Amino acid sequence: MEEVIVTPYNPDWNNEFEREQDNIRLALKGLDVHIEHIGSTSVMGLGSKPTIDMMAGVLSLTSVNEHYIENLARIGYEYVFKPEFPERMFFRRGQWRAGTHHLHIYKYKGPQWYDQILFREYLKNHPDTRDQYYALKKVLESQYKHDRVAYTNGKADFIREVIQKARLDRQLES
């Protein structure tokens, strides 16, 4: 049975990202690809489900053809088609709803690419917001211990609000 477990921050998460980044870069060899560590495991001090979230930015999603999908499969990343998210390709490593690594492929420098970076950087630069997010995750963990979808949906409004704040901050800096 799936289980939501939010653990304290683990500095090994960044090391795991570094290792995986190299493997992904090799699997996508031939593409102009940019890889970032995203999500909670990328924010020092933020507890999380121990799933390493990464994003790869490419010039066009159509360039990630069957050849690259097969290369990623060889290193353990299963392509999960999500028609409700046409702006990204999603790959999971690990069991269904219990993946150890998630790879999101977006158009490089597209809106989703920037939103991921804005969210990560805002949490890094605002420890109070980072701590509020952790507290929310702990509440949702206890409410939805066996429902990862509900847990994820419970974070959506908070994430949207943080991205909006980050956009406003960026506009004020310009």
Side-chain angles (χ1 to χ4, degrees):
M1 174 178 273
E2 68 183 63
E3 191 170 12
V4 174
I5 300 171
V6 176
T7 65
Y9 176 76
N10 182 339
D12 288 337
W13 290 337
N14 194 56
N15 297 332
E16 182 61 21
F17 162 72
E18 293 294 333
R19 282 190 294 277
E20 285 304 305
Q21 173 183 225
D22 292 340
N23 294 331
I24 292 165
R25 200 173 298 286
L26 283 173
L28 298 176
K29 188 174 182 177
L31 293 178
D32 182 10
V33 64
H34 306 267
I35 302 174
E36 294 277 343
H37 188 185
I38 59 169
S40 296
T41 61
S42 70
V43 179
M44 187 180 300
L46 178 56
S48 177
K49 292 189 325 293
T51 304
I52 307 301
D53 277 299
M54 301 163 283
M55 72 174 173
V58 295
L59 299 179
S60 170
L61 289 182
T62 58
S63 65
V64 184
N65 58 31
E66 198 60 38
H67 167 76
Y68 295 109
I69 292 171
E70 288 172 11
N71 284 354
L72 288 166
R74 280 197 268 300
I75 62 169
Y77 287 88
E78 176 187 359
Y79 176 50
V80 181
F81 178 65
K82 294 196 175 244
E84 67 273 25
F85 298 108
E87 71 284 349
R88 81 163 180 191
M89 297 177 79
F90 177 72
F91 295 80
R92 180 192 70 249
R93 184 171 177 193
Q95 297 177 357
W96 178 248
R97 296 210 197 262
T100 58
H101 300 73
H102 291 164
L103 174 63
H104 311 264
I105 300 181
Y106 296 107
K107 178 176 177 19
Y108 181 58
K109 294 188 175 182
Q112 294 78 19
W113 174 270
Y114 281 122
D115 283 352
Q116 292 289 340
I117 291 174
L118 283 171
F119 182 68
R120 178 191 69 197
E121 294 304 308
Y122 194 90
L123 292 178
K124 285 181 175 182
N125 294 317
H126 296 85
D128 55 328
T129 304
R130 178 200 65 208
D131 294 345
Q132 289 170 11
Y133 189 43
Y134 182 61
L136 172 63
K137 290 163 73 152
K138 292 303 281 183
V139 166
L140 294 170
E141 172 193 36
S142 66
Q143 288 178 337
Y144 303 113
K145 193 71 174 169
H146 299 287
D147 188 346
R148 287 174 77 113
V149 172
Y151 167 84
T152 299
N153 290 341
K155 299 183 302 178
D157 287 342
F158 185 91
I159 292 168
R160 274 191 294 275
E161 288 173 18
V162 169
I163 291 170
Q164 282 300 103
K165 287 178 188 175
R167 285 180 183 149
L168 284 172
D169 280 2
R170 194 173 71 181
Q171 287 174 354
L172 292 174
E173 292 170 1
S174 300

